[in-house]
Amino acid sequence: MSDGQAVFCTPLRVEARALRAGMSAPAADRVRHTGVGRARSLRAAQSAGLAHAPAVAAVGIAGALGADLQPGDIVVADAVHDVDGATSPQRCPGAPLLAASFRAAGLRVHVGTLVSTGHVVTGAERARLAATGALAVDMESAWLLPADQRPSAAVRVVADTAGEPLLRPATLARVRQALAVLPRLAPTLEAWARALGPRTALLAGPRSFCAGVDRAIDIVELALRQRGAPVYVRKQIVHNVHVVRDLEARGAIFVDEVDDVPEGATAVFSAHGVSPAVREAAADRQLQAIDATCPLVTKVHTEVRRFTDRGDTVIFIGHAGHEETEGTMGERPGNTVLVEDATDAATVTVPDPSQVSYLVQTTLSADEVEGIVDVLQTRFPALRAPASDDICYATTNRQHALRAVAADADVVLVIGSGNSSNSKRLVETAQRMGKPAHLVDDVGDVELDWFTGVDTVGITAGASAPTTLVDEIVGSLRGLGPVDVQERSVTTESVHFTLPKEVRQT
């Protein structure tokens, strides 16, 4: 791992003083005043102090090109190039990790391209550079950052903004405002330095979308394509914020209840299932209903009806408030009782202990359910089980795969939204193995301090999380040093579910 000896380059002495003011003594000693402009930056980059540094960060103030940037805003560069193209563009894949930490510190952050010029940019030239899509302009970063594979970063605080005259007294006030922000960058820059180094990323397989999630997303996409926007979806189609945002951008409208859907409109029921009462409400409003319920959830609904119709009280093992729990128990609300944990199992009562069975929310942990069932079987010897396991194959597979990577990982990242039951169970599985584990929606939730002293990172994604999010996190880790990506696959999934007739293409 890195010894943290990253070098922080600041063009101006006043910038160096401001940055050092926020740093610990060892890090402050690695702040270098490198001088203003191309020539001084090139000389500094060729000096022994920078040429052999394990990592380099260019830090200071800059001019805004983007119209929405304000004095004091932070620009974290994911790419840096010089205005003339004389040097190769530098990529900074660790930018999202830095940006996330700065945001967590309460700073206003933008991620994008930084362009370097050999002179102060004003007027028409600034507008021309802005048209390229670059966010900010400085006079050093492109020549300071290493051209090899060493980790690098460019972080600039906006001093002067686009559209404002540069050469006027008000500019000095904005420069002072920007300089006051520099000490606030120090803790994150130090965390970045501590996290540097080569590491291994162990990817759990299978991970990400399961067949039920793929089917649900396909249903909404096909409904939009065939019927046009808007298409209404009751609740989140699957529990992932990225999936929901993407479908919203295509014309899907997510509502809490079918009463929020205009009469006669198209309404999709989410993958988690709905109760008969919801179906009746949709029919009353003459909605064109399309059922995206996962077939494995539908199986549990069928079991509820069958078990209660034979006279059983059904103990449903699940989480209160989860859409799957509400939909399943809504099949026979007078004959089902919810048990969330072993404590509930120890106190639950039923009218007839000789007529009792249990069913399980499909996204729970097998370990979690086993303990609850043990308590129930002790209390109710006549307890009947479903003919086959209710926990879905995808949940079980992802838990097995998670164990395979967590065994050798120093820290585990589970990609999934906070309301995703199966994703939270993955975190708990790793934690039961004694591993530090974190649930993250995307790279924006990842903290640099998690990687201090860490050689191996285990990564998986819940069944409702897009696989692209895994790629983004691995890409960001490359910004901290070389990453050896290894796949740990415990099985191959080949399940495919048929689409409902309402969207099926012939």
Side-chain angles (χ1 to χ4, degrees):
M1 296 301 294
S2 167
D3 60 3
Q5 300 298 311
V7 174
F8 307 102
C9 303
T10 55
L12 298 171
R13 294 186 189 279
V14 67
E15 292 169 325
R17 286 196 297 270
L19 186 59
R20 289 186 185 114
M23 284 186 159
S24 63
D29 288 342
R30 298 195 300 276
V31 176
R32 302 284 186 268
H33 163 236
T34 50
V36 175
R38 179 179 185 275
R40 291 184 177 90
S41 298
L42 285 171
R43 281 198 298 272
Q46 294 163 5
S47 67
L50 265 66
H52 302 297
V56 176
V59 187
I61 63 176
L65 297 175
D68 60 337
L69 274 65
Q70 301 298 318
D73 285 3
I74 313 301
V75 174
V76 179
D78 57 11
V80 180
H81 66 85
D82 72 86
V83 69
D84 298 320
T87 58
S88 299
Q90 305 297 309
R91 299 292 175 184
C92 303
L97 293 173
L98 277 166
S101 292
F102 287 136
R103 290 190 182 105
L107 297 166
R108 181 175 152 93
V109 183
H110 309 262
V111 177
T113 299
L114 177 68
V115 60
S116 297
T117 71
H119 55 274
V120 174
V121 175
T122 60
E125 186 179 7
R126 179 172 286 199
R128 180 176 60 81
L129 291 177
T132 68
L135 293 183
V137 58
D138 70 9
M139 297 172 59
E140 297 86 17
S141 293
W143 303 293
L144 285 170
L145 298 188
D148 52 32
Q149 298 301 309
R150 284 177 292 163
S152 61
V155 182
R156 294 285 177 159
V157 183
V158 172
D160 55 293
T161 56
E164 293 289 336
L166 181 61
L167 303 175
R168 67 174 193 167
T171 300
L172 294 177
R174 293 197 294 267
V175 169
R176 285 194 292 269
Q177 183 178 348
L179 290 172
V181 175
L182 283 175
R184 299 178 63 188
L185 305 183
T188 290
L189 291 171
E190 288 193 64
W192 174 75
R194 290 192 299 269
L196 296 172
R199 53 180 48 89
T200 299
L202 299 179
L203 305 187
R207 61 184 177 274
S208 196
F209 286 171
C210 63
V213 167
D214 270 330
R215 175 180 182 269
I217 295 171
D218 286 347
I219 288 170
V220 178
E221 291 177 340
L222 286 168
L224 287 166
R225 193 181 310 156
Q226 295 167 5
R227 305 182 183 205
V231 165
Y232 294 84
V233 183
R234 182 185 180 273
K235 306 294 186 180
Q236 291 188 354
I237 186 66
V238 297
H239 285 160
N240 187 268
V241 64
H242 293 277
V243 172
V244 170
R245 287 173 184 165
D246 179 64
L247 292 174
E248 282 178 331
R250 303 186 194 194
I253 297 176
F254 292 86
V255 298
D256 286 331
E257 298 297 342
V258 293
D259 290 346
D260 300 319
V261 182
E263 290 192 12
T266 296
V268 178
F269 300 145
S270 79
H272 312 101
V274 297
S275 68
V278 172
R279 298 180 189 278
E280 292 169 8
D284 290 342
R285 296 184 65 77
Q286 299 181 324
L287 301 182
Q288 301 175 53
I290 306 174
D291 191 357
T293 302
C294 174
L296 299 180
V297 175
T298 299
K299 164 187 173 288
V300 182
H301 281 236
T302 301
E303 290 171 333
V304 169
R305 296 192 297 268
R306 186 170 75 251
F307 290 2
T308 56
D309 288 351
R310 74 188 180 193
D312 284 6
T313 297
V314 171
I315 296 175
F316 186 73
I317 302 173
H319 293 299
H322 193 279
E323 283 100 312
E324 184 180 336
T325 296
E326 293 175 347
T328 305
M329 295 185 67
E331 289 285 353
R332 296 290 190 269
N335 303 95
T336 56
V337 59
L338 178 64
V339 164
E340 293 194 80
D341 52 33
T343 301
D344 286 351
T347 58
V348 65
T349 59
V350 297
D352 184 356
S354 67
Q355 288 286 108
V356 60
S357 55
Y358 77 88
L359 295 170
V360 180
Q361 182 179 324
T362 62
T363 54
L364 298 190
S365 162
D367 293 341
E368 174 185 23
V369 170
E370 183 180 3
I372 296 171
V373 171
D374 286 345
V375 175
L376 292 174
Q377 288 175 331
T378 300
R379 296 194 59 224
F380 307 110
L383 182 73
R384 288 186 276 196
S388 59
D389 194 354
D390 285 340
I391 298 176
C392 87
Y393 76 95
T395 297
T396 300
N397 288 345
R398 279 150 189 74
Q399 289 170 10
H400 288 331
L402 184 279
R403 292 187 188 96
V405 301
D408 295 322
D410 301 310
V411 66
V412 173
L413 302 182
V414 176
I415 303 170
S417 292
N419 60 344
S420 169
S421 176
N422 78 87
S423 298
K424 290 194 286 188
R425 304 292 84 75
L426 290 170
V427 173
E428 293 166 0
T429 298
Q431 290 172 340
R432 281 195 294 271
M433 296 175 67
K435 302 293 183 173
H438 308 279
L439 179 65
V440 297
D441 242 323
D442 51 37
V443 70
D445 292 334
V446 178
E447 297 182 20
L448 285 164
D449 280 334
W450 295 344
F451 306 114
T452 301
V454 165
D455 294 302
T456 305
V457 182
I459 303 175
T460 190
S464 52
T467 190
T468 53
L469 301 177
V470 176
D471 299 336
E472 289 174 4
I473 286 181
V474 172
S476 293
L477 290 177
R478 295 188 192 280
L480 302 177
V483 178
D484 176 21
V485 179
Q486 299 180 15
E487 186 92 16
R488 292 276 181 92
S489 183
V490 300
T491 189
T492 299
E493 294 177 347
S494 58
V495 176
H496 177 75
F497 294 130
T498 303
L499 293 168
K501 65 180 183 304
E502 290 85 359
V503 295
R504 198 177 304 151
Q505 295 173 312
T506 57

